[in-house]
Amino acid sequence: MYVIESEDLWKTYDGRRWALSGVDLRVREGEVLALLGRNGAGKTTFIRIACSLLKPTRGSVRVLGMDVTQESSRVRERIALVPQEGRPSNLNTPWSHVYYYLIARGLPRSEARVRARRYLQSLELWDVRDVICGNLSGGMRQRVLVAMALATEADVLFLDEPTIGLDPLSKQTVWEQIRDSAAEGRTVVVTTHNMEEAETIADRVAIIDEGRIVASGTPEEVKARVGYEYRVDLRGDGIEASELSSYGLVRRIGDRYRVYLSDSTARELLDLAIARGWTASLSRTTLEDAFVLLVGEVEEHAG
Amino acid sequence: MRVRGALSGFLRSLYASTMLFGVLPFKQNPFWALSPALAPFAFLLFLSIYRFQQVVPFALIGGLISIVVANSISMESDAAFNRIVLRLDSMFALTKGGLIPYAIGLALGNLINAVPGVAVFAVLLWTMAGITSPQAWATMLGALTLIWAVVSLLGYLISTYARDIRDLWVYSPLMTALLGYLPPVYYPLELLPDPFLRAIAFISPTTSAARLMHSAAGLVKLGPGEFAVLWAIPAAHAVVFAALLYRRVRRPI
Ligand SMILES: Nc1ncnc2c1ncn2[C@@H]1O[C@H](COP(=O)(O)OP(=O)(O)O)[C@@H](O)[C@H]1O
Ligand SMILES: [Mg+2]
């Protein structure tokens, strides 16, 4: 059974350009889906429609079996959101944000107190719980919003770029908490353009570009979609892109050449590099490579 | 059972919003709340220094109205700030009562800010103008409450049109002047020279409310049936603003 199901979802804000063009997306219970895309790809638009905060132009989204447009008030009780670029109020403390938000969500005071404590602790905000947010670092403020949303323990969590601006350690803290929420059976959709984030926390990823889903599946499946297992980075004198292109797909990155290729040709290219005295390094293709290739290809077609 | 559950959900959300956006920030800095009382207070000071004793009650009633207007129209910047900058309104939309208890909480929070200024002016009205009858005070409080409700609704309505952080603090001073100082709140309606101007003045809900307060203080005499009409006019404002607001927010874009 799918917890989130979008079918042929279209959205335009101005009647001229499509922010979403026919998005089909399904998320299973207890799964973390990372929605990957460049700025303006349509991630926030999708999230806001799924949260019933925005009306689709065409198509529909069902969350927990309910149509978000028709049954918005019932859906809203069972989901939570970290809005993109949100901020807690400078005049309130982390404690009051989380505690009163839980009260607003309908929790009894005693339960709200227990939960506020638990989530402030797990997001490493407990020591600053009584400091007004105006005096906290940007990363701490962002974690306050994450704590508010996670503490609801809603069945479905939508996190719109929740780790933007966080330092590496804070990021890991948030990632852990997201994984824990999923382990307890909650379904999570997280948008990001951070590939490490996607590979670390997501069971499945969906790559969205110009309002279309261009690939989705497990990170492994998405990587397999591009058809290259390895990439070789080359640097040295006298490298010709035309020569390399017989080995695989060539991209120029600064002063390097990157060649995407398969297992057998990788060996041949490395032999060539040794013969020519180039510097070469071999790695497996990453999700980031898949992203660049998939999104780049779409643009070439559109181009 | 469902109704009771819905009501308690609504009240919880209202309480949380009032605490978060009103009580707790107020506790951070209670003296901020006095700033809307400064201009009316300066007014009062001039009049007392020049010994214009007979107009001091008008200055006090006008002051009460200006203070409530300034603190209620700030709903506009608060709601727009929460939506555009903090984006907390999307989180509050996902609560039991949705945005309605959230918005009423914001308005109650503003009312708390009005309390210090209102208290000072009320004490002065009691002592300097000798207004002591419970009936007069009931009318005063009723009229101020109505102003709070109408102007808060208007503030929220205007906030829905704000698109950028720069739109935020433009309207409040303008609306405070238009509703709290220009209409006949510091002077009786009768002093407006022509009937057309007097009719125009009722576009502002504060005109009716001020007239009720002026009459409660014995400063003006109302015509037959006027009392009821004066209550009905701001109530009608409230209904119109609420309807417009409902149309604005009923459906997300
Ligand atoms: N309120 C809006 N009004 C008009 N266009 C918008 C609005 N919000 C987003 N868009 C447009 O919709 C597209 C998708 O935006 P968005 O969903 O915010 O992308 P993402 O979150 O992936 O960065 C962009 O082209 C953006 O300019
Ligand atoms: Mg976005």
Side-chain angles (χ1 to χ4, degrees), chain B residues 68-115:
Chain B
V68 172
V69 166
N71 280 301
S72 308
I73 200 69
S74 57
M75 179 72 160
E76 183 265 325
S77 39
D78 289 352
F81 188 75
N82 281 355
R83 177 169 59 83
I84 298 171
V85 180
L86 305 184
R87 313 214 168 159
L88 287 177
D89 74 322
S90 336
M91 298 189 80
F92 272 83
L94 306 183
T95 57
K96 285 238 154 73
L99 285 177
I100 295 174
Y102 153 82
I104 299 176
L106 281 186
L108 280 174
N110 287 328
L111 197 57
I112 292 164
N113 285 296
V115 164

Side-chain angles (χ1 to χ4, degrees), chain A residues 13-14 17-19 37-46 84 160-161 208, chain B residues 253:
Chain A
Y13 290 94
D14 54 14
R17 284 187 322 126
W18 290 105
R38 313 172 59 175
N39 291 322
K43 303 182 295 294
T44 299
T45 304
F46 178 81
Q84 182 180 2
D160 200 351
E161 301 193 14
I208 183 169
Chain B
I253 323 170

